[in-house]
Amino acid sequence: MKDRHIEGVDMPAEIDFSKGIRGLHHIPPGARVLMPASIERSVWEYFSEKAERRGIELSELLTEVLKRDIEINEALK
């Protein structure tokens, strides 16, 4: 593999992936994942107020709600 100088940064001309491991950077079970999502303002306000009253983070409340929704959907199958 030859190295060459590219715009002030030393980078190899080729990258050898022969020792790469498939799935090395997968998201493990139970990991917290930051996933941007768009929701309507009224929904955000509703859940933000509920989370504040309960003294928890909005993401924690939304995770609880979504898990309950999954359980309900699975039970109805």
Side-chain angles (χ1 to χ4, degrees):
M1 180 164 64
K2 286 186 169 183
D3 290 345
R4 66 178 184 193
H5 192 73
I6 301 174
E7 296 181 27
V9 178
D10 290 327
M11 288 186 62
E14 297 175 23
I15 300 174
D16 180 8
F17 290 103
S18 64
K19 295 181 180 126
I21 301 170
R22 183 177 300 275
L24 179 63
H25 299 289
H26 76 284
I27 300 168
R32 294 184 67 112
V33 180
L34 174 61
M35 185 178 79
S38 298
I39 58 174
E40 292 178 13
R41 182 179 188 88
S42 61
V43 174
W44 177 81
E45 288 171 348
Y46 175 83
F47 284 109
S48 291
E49 289 172 15
K50 281 198 168 290
E52 189 174 324
R53 276 188 261 133
R54 287 180 57 185
I56 62 174
E57 294 291 323
L58 176 59
S59 60
E60 187 178 342
L61 177 61
L62 292 176
T63 298
E64 284 180 21
V65 170
L66 291 171
K67 282 182 175 181
R68 267 187 270 144
D69 188 58
I70 291 168
E71 288 174 4
I72 291 167
N73 279 291
E74 291 299 313
L76 294 175
K77 281 186 175 180

